[in-house]
Amino acid sequence: MLASRLMGPKDVRVEEAQEPVVTTPDSATVDVTVTAICGADLASYWGYVPGFEWGTIMGHEFVGVVRDVGDAVKTVKPGDRVMVSSMTSCGHCWYCRRSMQPQCENRALYGFSGAYPRLDGGQAGTAFIPNADRDLWPLPASVSDEAAVFVADILSTAYRGVERANLAYGDDVAVVGCGPVGLMAIMVAKLAAGRVIALDTVQDRLKSAESLGAIPVEADEAAVEAVKGMTGSRGVDAVIECAGGAPALTTAMQLARPRGVVSVIGAHFEPDFCLDAGTMFANETTLLISIGAPTDDREKVLRLVESGRIDPVPVISHRMKLEEAAEAYRIFEAREATKIILTP
Ligand SMILES: [Zn+2]
Ligand SMILES: [Zn+2]
């Protein structure tokens, strides 16, 4: 089979690789039909992940068809169309038993190594699934592979971020960052919000946000005042921060009204972020951070897709062959693509 391996910073190579086989009673193999490139992949692509093992097969967003299962696997069988949760979890640790999948003591992210134990990913012809009953979920016939690949990670992450913001119907919601995750958050927030205000510095992304029904605001120095101007000088009821990094979180904190909620799903690595605890105290601000829990949330998210209330497929900007993975990463890094789907 072919597999897309990261051999060094910005060095993706698609090469022949050994096909994985079922090695334990709980494991399975899945023939991949659709896989996607995610913003999270860029951290390893740029060489920012300490301890990353060069040669790891990339890809944590993928769907496919079950090829083989171990003796103990009960919920899927060969031939089933399945989505794969982007992060594996054991199902029996203290956190898993309390539905806190992202904190599983045995977690690992497909297509990653270093930050977690190495787990080869789904940008390959076939993928190894260590814990099939946890990680695999059969797909209804009405949900396409392309739609399901969003449920594997970013749509489920957006769902978690919006759900934790505890919106009331009609709330004003700001979404900071209109990359693929932000666009998912806009779709989910729109299920309840009165208005969704979208902030980004990139015009094309604001146009995408507007096409989904959000009010676009350029994220410049005047952005916070512009949003306050729309909300009686108060700020919004809830902010979904989807960009990651200190400037986005700073903006998000400024956009929330007193007693507002800031729900963060953007990735953060800065250990020295300066939090204005005095203002947070005076304003009774709630700050929530979520990694996303696709295993815990996939059933509900799939129902939103199956019912047609959310359609993530229009966010796909490029469809390419797995063989073109190196070029795909290049244009994704250059922000020439919103969301790239690869087919093995
Ligand atoms: Zn992802
Ligand atoms: Zn666990």
Side-chain angles (χ1 to χ4, degrees):
M1 67 169 190
L2 288 177
S4 156
R5 292 185 194 275
L6 186 62
M7 304 306 292
K10 299 194 182 191
D11 183 9
V12 170
R13 290 185 220 165
V14 180
E15 297 172 338
E16 255 326 297
Q18 187 155 15
E19 287 191 354
V21 292
V22 166
T23 51
T24 61
D26 295 325
S27 65
T29 49
V30 167
D31 291 330
V32 178
T33 50
V34 168
T35 175
I37 298 177
C38 176
D41 293 325
L42 292 178
S44 37
Y45 182 74
W46 288 328
Y48 292 171
V49 179
F52 190 91
E53 287 177 40
W54 302 122
T56 301
I57 297 173
M58 301 286 281
H60 60 272
E61 300 177 354
F62 57 104
V63 301
V65 176
V66 177
R67 173 188 281 204
D68 196 10
V69 296
D71 292 340
V73 175
K74 293 185 178 69
T75 57
V76 293
K77 59 184 186 309
D80 284 352
R81 270 180 78 230
V82 288
M83 59 152 285
V84 186
S85 288
S86 55
M87 182 178 276
T88 190
S89 53
C90 70
H92 52 70
C93 73
W94 193 92
Y95 295 100
C96 282
R97 282 185 281 119
R98 287 160 182 81
S99 296
M100 298 185 212
Q101 173 232 338
Q103 297 302 328
C104 170
E105 290 165 9
N106 304 294
R107 66 185 176 178
L109 190 60
Y110 286 94
F112 272 79
S113 52
Y116 307 107
R118 175 172 173 170
L119 180 58
D120 281 327
Q123 288 172 12
T126 305
F128 178 74
I129 311 298
N131 199 354
D133 281 331
R134 282 286 292 175
D135 295 355
L136 301 182
W137 191 259
L139 286 173
S142 59
V143 174
S144 69
D145 290 356
E146 287 190 348
V149 85
F150 288 89
V151 185
D153 184 21
I154 66 171
L155 181 54
S156 294
T157 299
Y159 176 91
R160 177 55 61 123
V162 175
E163 195 212 30
R164 290 193 79 196
N166 204 14
L167 302 183
Y169 290 108
D171 270 355
D172 282 328
V173 179
V175 172
V176 177
C178 299
V181 177
L183 297 177
M184 298 294 122
I186 289 169
M187 290 188 223
V188 179
K190 276 196 67 201
L191 298 174
R195 290 183 293 184
V196 179
I197 300 164
L199 292 91
D200 204 295
T201 53
V202 181
Q203 285 303 324
D204 281 351
R205 290 180 166 198
L206 286 176
K207 281 199 192 100
S208 301
E210 193 173 16
S211 74
L212 295 173
I215 302 165
V217 171
E218 193 167 349
D220 57 18
E221 316 80 61
V224 172
E225 285 312 307
V227 172
K228 290 200 167 170
M230 296 178 211
T231 53
S233 307
R234 289 184 300 272
V236 294
D237 303 297
V239 185
I240 316 298
E241 193 271 277
C242 305
L249 182 52
T250 301
T251 301
M253 298 299 290
Q254 292 167 346
L255 289 171
R257 67 158 163 80
R259 277 255 177 148
V261 176
V262 176
S263 179
V264 175
I265 49 175
H268 288 270
F269 305 98
E270 59 282 358
D272 55 351
F273 183 78
C274 184
L275 208 53
D276 181 350
T279 301
M280 286 182 73
F281 180 78
N283 287 351
E284 301 179 297
T285 309
T286 299
L287 174 61
L288 296 157
I289 300 182
S290 311
I291 295 175
T295 306
D296 292 335
D297 293 335
R298 61 195 169 192
E299 204 178 348
K300 288 172 283 186
V301 177
L302 269 172
R303 210 171 291 137
L304 288 170
V305 174
E306 196 180 6
S307 66
R309 297 191 72 199
I310 285 182
D311 180 12
V313 173
V315 171
I316 298 170
S317 59
H318 292 67
R319 292 172 173 84
M320 300 170 76
K321 288 277 170 206
L322 179 64
E323 289 92 318
E324 302 170 282
E327 170 68 1
Y329 275 91
R330 194 195 64 72
I331 64 174
F332 187 67
E333 176 206 24
R335 288 186 168 185
E336 292 165 24
T338 307
K339 190 73 179 172
I340 302 178
I341 295 296
L342 300 171
T343 49

